[in-house]
Amino acid sequence: MTDFLRPESPPVHPTLSELFFVFGRVGLLSFGGPAGQIGMMHRVLVDENRWLSEERFLHALNYCMLLPGPEAQQLATYAGWLLHGRRGGVIAGTLFILPGFLVIVALAAAYALYQDTHWLPALLFGLKAGVLAIVIEALLRVAKRALKSRFLIGVAGAAFIALFFFAVPFPLVILAAGVAGFLKARGGPSVKRDAASKAPSLLRQLRGVLVGLLIWQTPLLLFWLLAAPGSLIELQAFFSRLAVVTFGGAYAVLAYVAQVAVETHHWMSASEMLDGLALAEATPGPLVLVLSYIGFLAAFRHPGMLDPMLAGVLGASVAAWATFVPSFIFIFLGAPYVERLKDNAALSGALSAITGAVVGVILNLSVWFGLHVLFGKVDRVELLPQINLGMSLPEWSSLDLASLALFIVSAIMLFRLKLGMVPVLGVCLAAGLIRLWLV
C-alpha cells in the first residue's frame, strides 16, 4: 500500500462553472512561487471544496514534479483534467496563468515606453513579506498531510540537505527519491483497478502527440506564411526548445535565459533583465511569466513592419504559448498512464517518495525566499569546497526591520486570526504603497 492519507469523506464533484470561478480566483491570488501556489491549490481543492482526495492531489503533484516546465501550472491542469477531462484541464491551466500574463504584458508595455520602475521596491517590500508568511503556511499544510511515515520524513530531510547544503541539481534529488521509494515498495501488493484508470490506446496517443505538436508550433507556421518579423520566429523557436528542458523550476533556467537574451540576441541589457524579474515577482502566476516580458521587449525593439506595441504583445504571447502549451500536452498524454500507477505498488511507492522530496524542495525554497526577503545581503558560504558543501548565510546587519515587522503581522493574520490570503495581501500591498508615499 502507499503512504497516502485517505480522505475522511468522499470528494465532491464540481460543475464546470464552479471549476471556472475557483481557478479564476486561484489565478488571481497565485503569488509566492510554486511553494505558495501548490499550498493554495491544496487548501482550495482538498480542504475547502473537497474536490480531490489527498491521494489524488499528491499523486498528481508527484507526476508534475517530474516534468519540465512550471509544475504549479501543470498541477492546475492535472486537477482540472481529473475533474472535467480535457475541457477542465484547459480551463484550469489557462486561468492559472492568464491573470499574471495580462498583468506582465501591461507592465512590460509601460516599462518599454517609460522604463520607470521606481515604484517596484515599495510594492515588492509589502508583497514579499506577506508572501513569505503564505509560503510558510503552505509548507506546514503540505508537510502535515504528506509526511505520514518515518521514511517520507527522512526523504524530505535528505532532499532539503542535498539542495540547501550541497546545491545538488533538482532533477537528481527527485530521481533519487523516486528510486528509493521504488526499491522500498517493490514487491508490495497491487491495488484493484477501476474503470477510470483505463489508459487510451496507442493509436489514440500517437494521434494526440501529433495534434499537440501541430497546435504547439502553429505560430511558427503562421509567421512563416505571413512573413512576420524575424524576432517572432526567433522567440517561438527559442522558447519552444527551452520548454522541454526547463527542469527544476524558473530559477534553474533564468540564468541561461538571461545570458541568451542579453549576450546572444541583445534583446535587452542585464539591468533590464533584472527589472523584468522584479516585475514577474510582483504579479500572480508562475515566475516563468518573465519570459513574456522578454518576448515583449524583444519584439517591441525589432518590430519589422508591425507597430512596435502590437509586435510586443505578439512577442509576449508567443513566449507564453511556446512555454505553456507543452505542459498541457504532457498532462493530457501522460495523466491517464500516471493514474494507472496507483495499481502498481512499486511505481506508486516511487511517486509517494517523491512527495517527501517535494516537501524538502518547498522547505528549501521557503528558506531561500525568507533569507532574501528579510535581509538585504545574502551570500553562499563554502564550508568544504571539495565536496561542494556550503550554505546561504545572511549579513545580519542587513536585516530589514520593516520587512520583519510586516512578516510578523502577516503571520499573526494567517496563523492566529485565520484571516486568509486575500486580507493578508491587501494589508501588505497597502503597507507597500504607504512606504512609497512616505519615500
Side-chain angles (χ1 to χ4, degrees):
M1 297 293 292
T2 67
D3 295 308
F4 294 123
L5 178 66
R6 302 288 180 180
E8 296 180 357
S9 56
V12 177
H13 193 76
T15 65
L16 204 59
S17 60
E18 288 174 333
L19 181 79
F20 183 91
F21 285 110
V22 165
F23 274 98
R25 175 174 172 265
V26 168
L28 287 170
L29 299 176
S30 57
F31 295 95
Q37 291 159 0
I38 291 169
M40 180 184 181
M41 281 189 281
H42 181 276
R43 181 174 62 250
V44 170
L45 298 176
V46 178
D47 292 338
E48 295 179 0
N49 293 298
R50 295 188 295 110
W51 288 354
L52 295 178
S53 67
E54 192 78 27
E55 175 185 1
R56 240 32 198 296
F57 182 88
L58 294 177
H59 197 72
L61 175 59
N62 296 335
Y63 172 59
C64 295
M65 296 300 292
L66 294 173
L67 298 174
E71 60 270 22
Q73 187 259 345
Q74 291 162 351
L75 178 60
T77 305
Y78 199 132
W81 175 82
L82 284 174
L83 295 168
H84 272 285
R86 292 186 178 180
R87 182 169 54 173
V90 170
I91 291 173
T94 301
L95 288 177
F96 185 82
I97 61 176
L98 185 60
F101 171 76
L102 295 177
V103 172
I104 200 69
V105 168
L107 293 176
Y111 184 84
L113 293 174
Y114 308 111
Q115 291 202 333
D116 181 10
T117 58
H118 76 280
W119 50 272
L120 263 182
L123 180 63
L124 291 176
F125 152 75
L127 185 63
K128 287 185 175 182
V131 165
L132 177 58
I134 293 170
V135 167
I136 293 175
E137 192 261 352
L139 169 65
L140 296 176
R141 178 183 297 274
V142 174
K144 181 180 178 180
R145 298 297 185 89
L147 303 182
K148 289 299 179 178
S149 71
R150 291 183 179 179
F151 172 72
L152 292 180
I153 293 174
V155 170
F160 173 75
I161 291 171
L163 290 166
F164 186 77
F165 291 100
F166 292 94
V168 176
F170 168 85
L172 291 182
V173 173
I174 297 298
L175 178 62
V179 171
F182 179 87
L183 295 176
K184 183 178 185 299
R186 187 172 56 181
S190 294
V191 180
K192 184 180 179 180
R193 297 182 180 180
D194 54 42
S197 67
K198 184 179 179 180
S201 66
L202 178 60
L203 180 61
R204 186 177 177 183
Q205 287 294 86
L206 289 176
R207 185 177 63 184
V209 170
L210 293 177
V211 172
L213 290 176
L214 179 62
I215 293 173
W216 183 25
Q217 294 305 317
T218 293
L220 198 60
L221 177 62
L222 292 176
F223 294 152
W224 180 75
L225 291 175
L226 299 175
S231 58
L232 295 178
I233 297 175
E234 287 181 347
L235 288 170
Q236 172 71 19
F238 172 65
F239 289 121
S240 293
R241 293 193 301 269
L242 194 68
V244 296
V245 297
T246 52
F247 292 94
Y251 288 110
V253 297
L254 283 180
Y256 169 69
V257 174
Q259 182 180 16
V260 172
V262 174
E263 298 178 8
T264 304
H265 291 292
H266 306 289
W267 288 332
M268 63 192 63
S269 66
S271 63
E272 289 173 334
M273 181 66 198
L274 292 175
D275 287 342
L277 183 58
L279 289 173
E281 288 180 333
T283 62
L287 186 59
V288 291
L289 280 172
V290 70
L291 302 183
S292 290
Y293 163 87
I294 295 172
F296 187 99
L297 288 189
F300 180 86
R301 291 169 177 172
H302 303 88
M305 300 297 292
L306 297 177
D307 175 79
M309 191 60 64
L310 173 60
V313 173
L314 289 175
S317 302
V318 165
W321 183 272
T323 300
F324 293 108
V325 167
S327 295
F328 291 97
I329 299 174
F330 292 146
I331 298 303
F332 295 154
L333 296 183
Y337 292 99
V338 174
E339 286 299 298
R340 299 188 75 198
L341 293 182
K342 298 194 303 294
D343 306 329
N344 185 294
L347 293 178
S348 188
L351 289 179
S352 176
I354 292 174
T355 299
V358 167
V359 175
V361 170
I362 295 176
L363 175 59
N364 178 65
L365 288 173
S366 301
V367 172
W368 183 92
F369 188 64
L371 289 175
H372 286 80
V373 168
L374 300 179
F375 295 91
K377 185 175 182 181
V378 180
D379 296 310
R380 180 170 174 83
V381 178
E382 298 296 334
L383 302 177
L384 286 176
Q386 299 86 346
I387 58 174
N388 201 35
L389 174 61
M391 61 184 300
S392 296
L393 287 176
E395 185 176 299
W396 298 102
S397 61
S398 67
L399 175 65
D400 188 334
L401 294 178
S403 293
L404 177 61
L406 191 53
F407 164 69
I408 293 174
V409 170
S410 301
I412 293 174
M413 293 176 66
L414 271 178
F415 293 100
R416 187 71 177 176
L417 303 179
K418 308 292 185 182
L419 293 181
M421 182 184 298
V422 175
V424 169
L425 291 177
V427 168
C428 292
L429 287 174
L433 293 176
I434 291 173
R435 187 179 191 181
L436 176 63
W437 178 71
L438 292 176
V439 174

